[in-house]
């Protein structure tokens, strides 16, 4: 536990990639297998569910530190992070808990979930009293379910490859899918051979694209690129192995039960097939993403929802054929095999042209002609174009130069900041999460939340404004004087009964601070609706 706490501090103390990699490599060289597995699990974005309610932790911390509840709340308000607040008010300790990370999580923390309050209280106090401040902070992060630190899964994989000699691509593949941290899993992860115990439905790492940052003609000959529509759906892999079907999202969520029509359609696929594509709401053509949202998060799919929001997989890549990984052959070669597969599938499918479709190519003689096609993206319910080098292999992560997304310009609207809330992580002490409103019949109506798009200097300036111009407090949220105007960008808009404005926007973010505009000059709800033609 001591080594993991030190690793957390090292990662949190720097934003330099090489320093993070060095700290991780050193840690993996010395860590026990079970500890290494839990470390990979936690640094990859996984975390235990909240073990003890925040209310109890606040109460016990106040009592242990002999601090009045109101003063604890003031401290929490100033610090902005619960784990840091508790760690700061408790007495400094130079003791160190002498257990491994795995033992601490598996035998001390996880059993507390669901235990009697007296047992929880005694166990937490014992941990607080017998841990160093550094260890206690990390444990509090785990207990509250707020564990996060500046290390992506790709960075962890890169570091582990250096420490073990196993290829990054191999590690990335083995880390896909549903796995639990254990010494046995770690042994399989870094083993030199495939021992045959891998989960049948394990997906491949998703290959991602960079936004196009320059004019496309700088990419060279247009004929060197395979061009497709950039669909607005859910990126997914459909896996057909050993007579079973598995559907995985890019976020490594197993979604098989949510798309029964894809499961049925995939029964016509040859065994040992893995398709990469986009799940789209479809009825004689692509439907808006809002239709797909009706199905997301539902545990039961009745006949009505399946009828109102039918789904297809728009397949754009073939990753495995006949049980063989073909990711290293070129995009052009994989496309030929994919076309043949989908053609054969259509012959044998019980519902031809339904369930699994081939993503159409956008053919053009010049970049200028492609630019004209791109302008029609919204008419096709697409977000723009995808540019994929014909000679590219399918890889891991987001390498530059192989795949580009050439998106259309977003919608924009000028809106007024009316609410603010503290951020998380490094921004826990700053007001960085904002709610924006537009005018409707002389009233400001909230329509979107956004927390990205400002520089550090602008964030500091807005934070100062929020503190000085707070009107009311609603728990962690502050309403502020409606004075600041921002240009908000978003991808799409749809009707929504859940929002006071009657609409919901997709991927809202701050494009720029409109210091040249007064709140009276912000846009109206009517104008917002007209921009997206709702």
């Amino acid at each position: 536990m001591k080594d993991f706490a030190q690793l957390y501090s090292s990662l949190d103390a720097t934003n330099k990639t090489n320093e993070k990699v060095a700290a991780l490599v050193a840690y993996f060289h010395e860590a026990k297998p079970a500890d290494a597995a839990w470390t990979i699990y936690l640094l990859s974005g996984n975390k235990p569910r909240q073990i003890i309610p925040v209310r109890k932790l606040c109460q016990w911390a106040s009592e242990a530190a002999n601090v009045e509840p109101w003063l604890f709340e003031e401290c929490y308000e100033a610090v902005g992070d619960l784990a840091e607040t508790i760690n700061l008010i408790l007495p400094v300790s130079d003791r160190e808990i002498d257990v491994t990370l795995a033992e601490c999580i598996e035998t001390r923390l996880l059993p507390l979930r669901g235990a009697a309050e007296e047992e929880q209280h005694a166990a937490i106090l014992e941990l607080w009293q017998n841990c160093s401040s550094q260890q206690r902070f990390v444990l509090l992060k785990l207990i509250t379910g707020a564990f996060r630190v500046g290390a992506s899964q790709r960075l962890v994989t890169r570091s582990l490859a250096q420490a073990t000699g196993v290829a990054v691509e191999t590690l990335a593949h083995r880390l896909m899918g549903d796995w639990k941290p254990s010494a046995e899993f770690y042994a399989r992860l870094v083993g030199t051979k495939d021992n045959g115990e891998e989960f049948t439905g394990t997906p491949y790492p998703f290959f991602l694209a960079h936004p196009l940052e320059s004019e496309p003609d700088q990419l060279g000959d247009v004929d060197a690129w395979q061009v497709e529509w950039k669909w607005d759906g859910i990126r997914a892999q459909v896996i057909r192995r050993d007579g079973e079907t598995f559907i995985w999202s890019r976020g490594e969520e197993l979604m098989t039960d949510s798309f029964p029509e894809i499961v049925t359609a995939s029964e016509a696929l040859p065994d040992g097939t893995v398709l990469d594509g986009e799940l789209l709401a479809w009825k004689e053509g692509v439907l808006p993403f809002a239709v797909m949202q009706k199905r997301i998060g539902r545990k039961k799919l009745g006949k009505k929802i399946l009828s109102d929001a039918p789904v297809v997989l728009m397949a754009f890549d073939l990753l495995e054929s006949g049980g063989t990984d073909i990711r290293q052959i070129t995009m052009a070669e994989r496309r030929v095999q994919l076309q043949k597969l989908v053609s054969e599938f259509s012959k044998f499918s019980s519902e031809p042209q339904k369930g699994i479709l081939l993503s159409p190519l956008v053919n053009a003689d010049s970049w200028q002609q492609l630019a004209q096609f791109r302008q029609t993206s919204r008419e096709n319910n697409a977000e723009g174009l995808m540019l994929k080098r014909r000679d590219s292999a399918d890889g891991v992560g987001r390498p530059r130069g192989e795949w580009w997304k050439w998106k259309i310009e977003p919608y924009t609207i000028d809106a007024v900041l009316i609410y603010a809330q503290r951020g998380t992580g490094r921004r826990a002490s700053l007001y960085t999460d904002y709610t924006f409103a537009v005018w409707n019949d002389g009233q400001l109506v909230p329509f979107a939340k956004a927390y990205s798009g400002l520089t550090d200097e602008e964030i500091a300036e807005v934070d100062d404004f929020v503190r000085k111009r707070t009107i009311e407090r609603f728990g962690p949220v502050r309403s502020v004087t409606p004075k600041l105007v921002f240009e908000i960008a978003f991808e799409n808009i749809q009707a929504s009964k859940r929002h006071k404005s009657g609409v919901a926007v997709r991927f809202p973010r701050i494009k720029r601070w409109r210091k040249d505009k007064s709140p009276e000059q912000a846009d109206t709800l009517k104008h917002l609706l007209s921009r997206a033609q709702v």
Side-chain angles (χ1 to χ4, degrees):
M1 187 64 206
K2 176 182 177 181
D3 292 339
F4 180 72
Q6 181 58 54
L7 173 66
Y8 182 97
S9 297
S10 298
L11 296 174
D12 195 45
T14 182
N15 57 7
K16 295 181 179 179
T17 299
N18 289 340
E19 291 181 2
K20 291 177 186 284
V21 170
L24 284 162
V25 170
Y27 175 85
F28 285 128
H29 273 310
E30 301 296 331
K32 294 182 178 180
D35 283 2
W38 270 106
T39 299
I40 295 165
Y41 182 83
L42 293 169
L43 296 185
S44 296
N46 302 298
K47 54 191 174 185
R49 287 188 295 112
Q50 185 181 40
I51 295 171
I52 294 175
V54 168
R55 175 185 56 80
K56 292 182 182 179
L57 289 174
C58 293
Q59 177 188 339
W60 298 342
S62 296
E63 293 169 353
N66 196 26
V67 170
E68 292 292 334
W70 68 266
L71 183 55
F72 179 88
E73 289 298 326
E74 289 293 326
C75 293
Y76 187 13
E77 171 74 12
V79 175
D81 179 87
L82 180 61
E84 187 174 359
T85 303
I86 294 176
N87 198 41
L88 287 171
I89 69 168
L90 291 174
V92 175
S93 171
D94 56 1
R95 298 180 182 180
E96 290 186 339
I97 186 171
D98 188 21
V99 296
T100 66
L101 172 64
E103 290 170 342
C104 187
I105 294 176
E106 294 171 7
T107 66
R108 299 201 180 193
L109 297 186
L110 295 183
L112 292 179
R113 187 182 297 126
E117 183 172 334
E118 295 80 7
E119 181 182 348
Q120 291 179 334
H121 189 191
I124 290 299
L125 286 182
E126 182 184 0
L127 279 174
W128 286 349
Q129 292 166 359
N130 292 288
C131 290
S132 68
S133 296
Q134 188 181 65
Q135 290 178 333
R136 189 168 61 199
F137 177 68
V138 175
L139 285 172
L140 282 163
K141 285 290 187 181
L142 293 172
I143 291 167
T144 58
F147 183 91
R148 62 177 64 86
V149 70
S152 65
Q153 181 170 330
R154 183 169 177 78
L155 186 70
V156 174
T157 306
R158 172 183 161 187
S159 304
L160 189 60
Q162 286 190 31
T164 63
V166 180
V168 170
E169 294 77 12
T170 300
L171 291 171
H173 188 196
R174 292 176 180 177
L175 283 170
M176 292 293 290
D178 188 20
W179 58 274
K180 303 298 181 185
S182 67
E184 293 74 22
F185 170 78
Y186 184 73
R188 293 197 302 272
L189 176 65
V190 300
T192 56
K193 294 183 179 180
D194 182 353
N195 61 11
E197 296 182 13
E198 314 227 340
F199 174 47
T200 301
T202 300
Y204 291 103
F206 283 80
F207 196 48
L208 307 176
H210 275 280
L212 190 61
E213 299 166 344
S214 59
E215 292 302 316
D217 55 11
Q218 295 187 23
L219 298 179
D221 189 346
V222 70
D223 292 333
W225 297 86
Q226 177 176 300
V227 184
E228 306 166 51
W229 294 110
K230 186 188 183 306
W231 303 109
D232 184 16
I234 299 175
R235 178 82 178 272
Q237 286 181 28
V238 173
I239 298 169
R240 184 69 179 174
R241 295 189 187 122
D242 294 344
E244 294 186 81
T245 296
F246 307 87
I247 304 174
W248 289 93
S249 73
R250 172 184 153 184
E252 296 187 42
E253 177 187 0
L254 188 60
M255 308 183 296
T256 311
D257 293 341
S258 299
F259 300 99
E261 60 268 72
I262 307 301
V263 175
T264 299
S266 69
E267 293 174 358
L269 292 172
D271 219 50
T273 297
V274 178
L275 297 173
D276 190 2
E278 200 86 7
L279 291 167
L280 300 170
W282 178 280
K283 189 177 288 186
E284 298 180 0
V286 182
L287 300 175
F289 186 79
V291 178
M292 171 76 80
Q293 285 183 310
K294 296 177 182 178
R295 295 179 57 152
I296 296 174
R298 287 178 177 263
K299 294 184 177 180
K300 293 185 179 180
L301 297 171
K303 290 184 178 179
K304 187 176 188 310
I305 193 67
L306 290 173
S307 174
D308 291 346
V311 170
V312 300
L313 177 81
M314 188 67 78
F316 52 66
D317 209 346
L318 180 64
L319 308 182
E320 184 178 313
S321 178
T324 299
D325 178 355
I326 62 169
R327 292 177 298 154
Q328 293 309 306
I329 68 175
T330 67
M331 180 87 246
E333 292 171 311
R334 298 199 307 277
R335 175 73 188 192
V336 171
Q337 293 195 36
L338 176 63
Q339 288 176 312
K340 181 179 179 181
L341 175 71
V342 175
S343 176
E344 291 297 316
F345 162 81
S346 298
K347 293 179 183 178
F348 296 105
S349 173
S350 59
E351 296 183 274
Q353 302 304 314
K354 290 188 177 181
I356 299 176
L357 306 178
L358 179 67
S359 182
L361 299 183
V362 181
N363 297 308
D365 297 325
S366 65
W367 290 112
Q368 183 179 7
Q369 188 178 10
L370 275 180
Q372 294 172 352
F373 282 129
R374 173 174 168 266
Q375 293 305 315
T376 67
S377 296
R378 286 198 172 96
E379 298 171 22
N380 291 282
N381 279 319
E383 297 179 315
L385 297 175
M386 289 295 302
L387 312 176
K388 302 175 183 178
R389 191 179 291 279
R390 294 185 188 276
D391 60 3
S392 66
D394 186 90
V396 176
R398 202 188 301 267
R400 298 184 66 84
E402 303 295 313
W403 289 15
W404 299 97
K405 46 187 177 183
W406 189 17
K407 297 179 69 172
I408 50 176
E409 292 299 315
Y411 297 114
T412 60
I413 204 83
D414 290 332
V416 182
L417 172 68
I418 60 170
Y419 300 120
Q421 186 174 346
R422 292 181 188 273
T424 56
R426 291 183 178 274
R427 293 182 170 182
S429 62
L430 296 170
Y431 285 92
T432 60
D433 296 6
Y434 313 122
T435 299
F436 297 95
V438 290
W439 293 103
N440 186 38
D441 294 333
Q443 300 292 321
L444 284 169
V445 180
F447 80 98
K449 294 183 178 181
Y451 52 86
S452 64
L454 296 181
T455 65
D456 290 344
E457 292 75 15
E458 288 174 328
I459 288 173
E461 193 174 343
V462 175
D463 179 76
D464 183 63
F465 174 87
V466 171
R467 295 173 189 277
K468 293 178 178 177
R469 299 297 184 91
T470 295
I471 300 173
E472 292 182 85
R473 298 187 186 189
F474 309 94
V477 179
R478 293 189 180 198
S479 67
V480 299
T481 304
K483 183 179 179 181
L484 306 185
V485 180
F486 296 84
E487 184 177 4
I488 307 301
F490 57 95
E491 300 301 326
N492 214 327
I493 185 171
Q494 62 265 344
S496 172
K497 294 180 180 179
R498 296 188 297 109
H499 294 78
K500 188 175 181 180
S501 62
V503 298
V505 296
R506 187 155 160 76
F507 296 141
R509 65 271 191 194
I510 302 169
K511 187 174 183 181
R512 58 173 170 156
W513 189 345
R514 295 301 305 265
K515 293 186 176 182
D516 58 323
K517 285 197 170 186
S518 67
E520 292 76 21
Q521 293 175 300
D523 285 314
T524 64
L525 180 61
K526 181 178 180 180
H527 182 58
L528 173 65
L529 297 175
S530 69
R531 291 300 307 275
Q533 300 178 348
V534 172

